[in-house]
Amino acid sequence: MYTLFYKELLRFSKVMLQTVMAPVVTALLYLLVFSHVLDEHINVYDNVTYTAFLIPGLIMMSILQNAFSNSSSSLIQSKMTGNIIFVLLTPLSYLEFYLAFMLASIIRGLAVGLGIYLVAIFFIDLPLYSFGWMLLFGLAGSAVLGSAGIITGVWAEKYDHIAGIQNFIVVPLSFLSGVFYSIHSLPEFWQQLSRFNPFFYMIDGFRYGFFGVADVNPVISLLIVLAAWLALACATLIMLKSGYKLRD
Amino acid sequence: MIPAIQIDNVHKHYGKVHALRGMSLTIQQGEFFGLLGPNGAGKSTLINIIAGLTRKNSGNVTVMGHDVVKAYRQSRYSLGVVPQELVYDPFFNVRELLQIQAGYFGKGKEINPWIDELLEGLKLTDKADVNMQALSGGMKRRVLIAQALVHKPPVVILDEPTAGVDVELRNSLWQFVQGLHREGHTIVLTTHYLEEAENLCERIAIINDGAVVALDTKEALLERGVGKTCKVVITLAKPLEQIPVALQPMLKTHEQNRIEFTLQRGSDSIMALINTLVSAGAEISDIKTEDADLEDVFIELTRAVNQ
Ligand SMILES: Nc1ncnc2c1ncn2[C@@H]1O[C@H](COP(=O)(O)OP(=O)(O)OP(=O)(O)O)[C@@H](O)[C@H]1O
Ligand SMILES: [Mg+2]
């Protein structure tokens, strides 16, 4: 189990430029553009500039997207090249298979998050209200997306399928989750709709770790995120156990 | 003694394709076993089921007494598989790949001397630090063999390990595999080079269309062929445009000056054959008769089922 996890880490660290640096740069570009345009005009929480408000959201969004991308792209690559059989031939159980891919996704997500954080605090004075809450949401959020990535990677038959899920589900949900705004600034209908988006709770709770303020009680957010993780973990394990698409 | 591999009434459907039709086969420990059959016979499907890469629809399969589904951990520890496709992970070099593969089986640094031994035995020592992408097809094939052996499995299955491998390398590969067999490994091998099977295997199963059509020692199989048929090779002074219709059923190959016939002992006569050829205007410069080889038996058996 440890070996598979370690191999997955090696895989993305060997292409660090693409897997960690690139997302960090993307996030910083967002930051530059949005903060420059909007910093003067919007104040979401008292005593928090818009730029400061934006950073945790961007960090979390990148953590989530990269956690998803790590497990899904690694799996589709192994399937397309056929080398997935080297894992399937081993005595590893489906539970170990799941844990290895999920943990590697978490590490990749957190590595990207840390990268953005380190560059951001260079330029902006960012409070850190509670490291524990921040880390908890970072872990739980990337676990959810890592699991979703495994399901997508096992199901997908070509890269297009992964890109489809990424572009039509993961990215929209993460954009529409309050990364760029507090949902209280939305019309009533959109506020209600946001409450069905699990990404909203991840980002809101993560942001609570920085400012100690949130749209929703962080305990409730955490429970919702953990429930989402539990549901996805079960779905992934059932899928892996059945051998779906891997051992047909 | 527990059989190395036991296959009991296994069926496998891929959609409408009935790839295995109640296959049963027992391979004893220490055997050098050949699995032969034409393209699409179901050899790889059977191997994938033994290895747990594919799920069977019904029947039972054990490796060293361990059920491949219920006791998959033990059965996979006991088994090394060299897949038919040349697959590899482009992210790693040869040594890393072998260490990772050993790691999946719970092996750590203590396995490194064995990895060195494998690299040596497969003539890969100077390629140990080369990325997989930079290896030739034959080298990749050898890495696949090393990967299959890295956890020291007692049973080794090789699915066409010599496809696309040059003669010299093929010979050194077989020496290596024979070495494994002498050390007590059970070897199962599929190949389309029937000469290889004839030289190496003690017992052979010929499968066709998802079922075993013959299962016997090599000698007994050859005996069958020898008993029933013989081969006549005729060399002509100049090529013959057309082989007389009467001889078509016996014709095996026809390339310019060289014609090969398979004759049923007892019913076909060599004299009649030659007379017919001569009266068709053939100038015969040489005649050779040979006993049947495995290829004849193979063709005989797989043809009979297809008709
Ligand atoms: N994944 C699959 N999906 C659908 N059909 C398959 C699949 N794998 C094999 N088959 C079918 O099952 C049958 C047996 O195929 P198999 O690969 O086992 O043959 P083989 O004996 O290994 O042939 P070869 O000598 O060409 O390797 C074939 O009809 C093939 O088309
Ligand atoms: Mg095959």
Side-chain angles (χ1 to χ4, degrees):
Chain A
M1 198 302 269
Y2 174 74
T3 305
L4 182 56
F5 168 59
Y6 175 70
K7 187 196 77 171
E8 288 300 306
L9 288 189
L10 268 185
R11 182 195 297 279
F12 82 72
S13 56
K14 281 198 177 196
V15 281
M16 196 88 165
L17 193 69
Q18 187 193 331
T19 55
V20 180
M21 301 305 182
V24 170
V25 171
T26 313
L28 292 174
L29 284 176
Y30 273 123
L31 186 63
L32 192 72
V33 172
F34 280 89
S35 65
H36 190 72
V37 178
L38 298 173
D39 201 28
E40 314 279 288
H41 309 286
I42 303 177
N43 245 346
V44 188
Y45 300 133
D46 297 336
N47 307 322
V48 177
T49 64
Y50 178 69
T51 310
F53 170 85
L54 184 60
I55 292 171
L58 276 179
I59 294 179
M60 189 57 166
M61 184 173 86
S62 307
I63 290 178
L64 299 178
Q65 291 182 358
N66 280 282
F68 177 84
S69 148
N70 201 63
S71 50
S72 61
S73 63
S74 172
L75 277 168
I76 190 76
Q77 241 171 40
S78 302
K79 277 172 46 176
M80 299 291 281
T81 56
N83 63 44
I84 186 104
I85 65 160
F86 296 123
V87 178
L88 299 179
L89 282 171
T90 68
L92 286 175
S93 68
Y94 58 93
L95 183 64
E96 292 170 313
F97 185 95
Y98 170 68
L99 287 177
F101 277 94
M102 187 195 65
L103 290 175
S105 283
I106 292 178
I107 302 290
R108 156 96 173 266
L110 295 186
V112 172
L114 183 69
I116 302 172
Y117 179 74
L118 290 179
V119 180
I121 55 169
F122 219 69
F123 300 104
I124 292 136
D125 195 16
L126 196 65
L128 185 58
Y129 170 76
S130 156
F131 180 78
W133 275 113
M134 184 203 71
L135 187 67
L136 217 51
F137 275 95
L139 286 171
S142 48
V144 170
L145 271 290
S147 309
I150 297 173
I151 296 183
T152 310
V154 170
W155 161 79
E157 272 158 25
K158 44 187 182 177
Y159 292 99
D160 279 0
H161 291 156
I162 304 270
I165 299 287
Q166 186 124 32
N167 293 333
F168 292 105
I169 298 181
V170 178
V171 171
L173 282 181
S174 56
F175 267 72
L176 299 174
S177 62
V179 172
F180 300 101
Y181 49 81
S182 160
I183 61 160
H184 289 308
S185 59
L186 289 177
E188 184 62 22
F189 172 74
W190 290 102
Q191 269 194 44
Q192 290 309 320
L193 203 64
S194 296
R195 289 179 186 277
F196 289 100
N197 178 359
F199 287 54
F200 160 70
Y201 299 96
M202 298 175 196
I203 288 180
D204 196 55
F206 189 68
R207 192 177 275 136
Y208 177 83
F210 286 83
F211 306 120
V213 200
D215 290 344
V216 178
N217 181 340
V219 177
I220 294 177
S221 291
L222 188 65
L223 287 177
I224 292 174
V225 177
L226 288 178
W229 176 51
L230 203 67
L232 279 177
C234 288
T236 319
L237 288 173
I238 290 171
M239 185 175 185
L240 291 175
K241 186 174 183 204
S242 77
Y244 174 75
K245 294 231 175 160
L246 291 179
R247 299 183 195 269
D248 272 348
Chain B
M1 198 160 57
I2 302 162
I5 297 177
Q6 178 134 38
I7 296 149
D8 187 20
N9 198 20
V10 169
H11 284 267
K12 174 68 186 176
H13 298 264
Y14 288 110
K16 285 207 183 81
V17 180
H18 198 167
L20 298 181
R21 304 165 182 264
M23 177 93 65
S24 297
L25 201 57
T26 304
I27 298 169
Q28 299 301 340
Q29 286 183 45
E31 277 199 88
F32 203 127
F33 193 92
L35 200 55
L36 308 183
N39 289 133
K43 304 181 294 292
S44 298
T45 303
L46 183 66
I47 291 173
N48 288 342
I49 287 173
I50 298 169
L53 293 177
T54 301
R55 304 216 159 180
K56 54 189 161 26
N57 296 110
S58 63
N60 285 305
V61 178
T62 62
V63 178
M64 299 298 280
H66 307 294
D67 187 283
V68 298
V69 177
K70 291 192 208 92
Y72 68 92
R73 280 180 185 261
Q74 291 91 323
S75 79
R76 288 184 205 162
Y77 273 115
S78 311
L79 187 67
V81 177
V82 182
Q84 183 173 3
E85 313 310 328
L86 264 190
V87 291
Y88 60 95
D89 194 328
F91 278 89
F92 301 103
N93 69 37
V94 177
R95 188 184 296 279
E96 284 171 335
L97 212 64
L98 294 177
Q99 280 164 345
I100 288 170
Q101 196 66 25
Y104 293 153
F105 287 87
K107 310 263 194 259
K109 286 203 169 56
E110 78 281 0
I111 204 75
N112 284 344
W114 171 237
I115 290 180
D116 288 332
E117 213 175 301
L118 280 174
L119 290 171
E120 183 76 37
L122 289 160
K123 302 192 166 58
L124 285 166
T125 308
D126 56 333
K127 303 286 175 197
D129 301 314
V130 176
N131 185 282
M132 286 303 292
Q133 264 172 315
L135 297 182
S136 76
M139 295 171 192
K140 287 188 187 120
R141 181 72 68 187
R142 279 178 280 164
V143 176
L144 282 180
I145 297 177
Q147 264 179 293
L149 296 174
V150 81
H151 60 289
K152 302 188 175 178
V155 183
V156 182
I157 304 184
L158 304 103
D159 198 352
E160 291 191 43
T162 47
V165 171
D166 69 37
V167 181
E168 194 185 338
L169 185 55
R170 221 188 289 164
N171 289 336
S172 75
L173 270 186
W174 289 135
Q175 271 172 18
F176 183 78
V177 175
Q178 281 177 309
L180 289 173
H181 180 236
R182 271 195 302 277
E183 286 163 22
H185 288 82
T186 309
I187 310 281
V188 179
L189 126 95
T190 82
T191 176
H192 285 289
Y193 299 105
L194 296 171
E195 274 175 58
E196 287 182 353
E198 199 173 326
N199 292 333
L200 295 163
C201 301
E202 299 160 342
R203 226 156 55 96
I204 289 171
I206 296 181
I207 70 175
N208 193 21
D209 208 11
V212 178
V213 293
L215 170 66
D216 221 325
T217 61
K218 175 179 68 192
E219 290 76 20
L221 278 178
L222 287 174
E223 195 85 351
R224 271 205 213 177
V226 175
K228 272 167 64 186
T229 62
C230 75
K231 225 163 53 171
V232 179
V233 183
I234 290 173
T235 312
L236 301 172
K238 55 177 191 285
L240 197 62
E241 298 242 321
Q242 192 148 17
I243 306 290
V245 183
L247 301 181
Q248 291 289 353
M250 292 181 252
L251 183 64
K252 196 175 151 213
T253 58
H254 179 200
E255 306 154 354
Q256 304 205 337
N257 287 11
R258 190 174 179 282
I259 317 176
E260 215 176 301
F261 294 97
T262 307
L263 273 63
Q264 304 295 318
R265 283 191 193 221
S267 57
D268 299 326
S269 117
I270 297 182
M271 274 319 288
L273 174 87
I274 292 166
N275 286 337
T276 319
L277 276 176
V278 171
S279 58
E283 286 178 45
I284 296 173
S285 62
D286 185 35
I287 300 177
K288 260 197 305 236
T289 63
E290 288 170 12
D291 283 339
D293 58 18
L294 197 54
E295 190 172 334
D296 302 301
V297 182
F298 179 79
I299 289 170
E300 182 78 22
L301 284 166
T302 52
R303 185 201 281 146
V305 172
N306 283 338
Q307 277 164 0

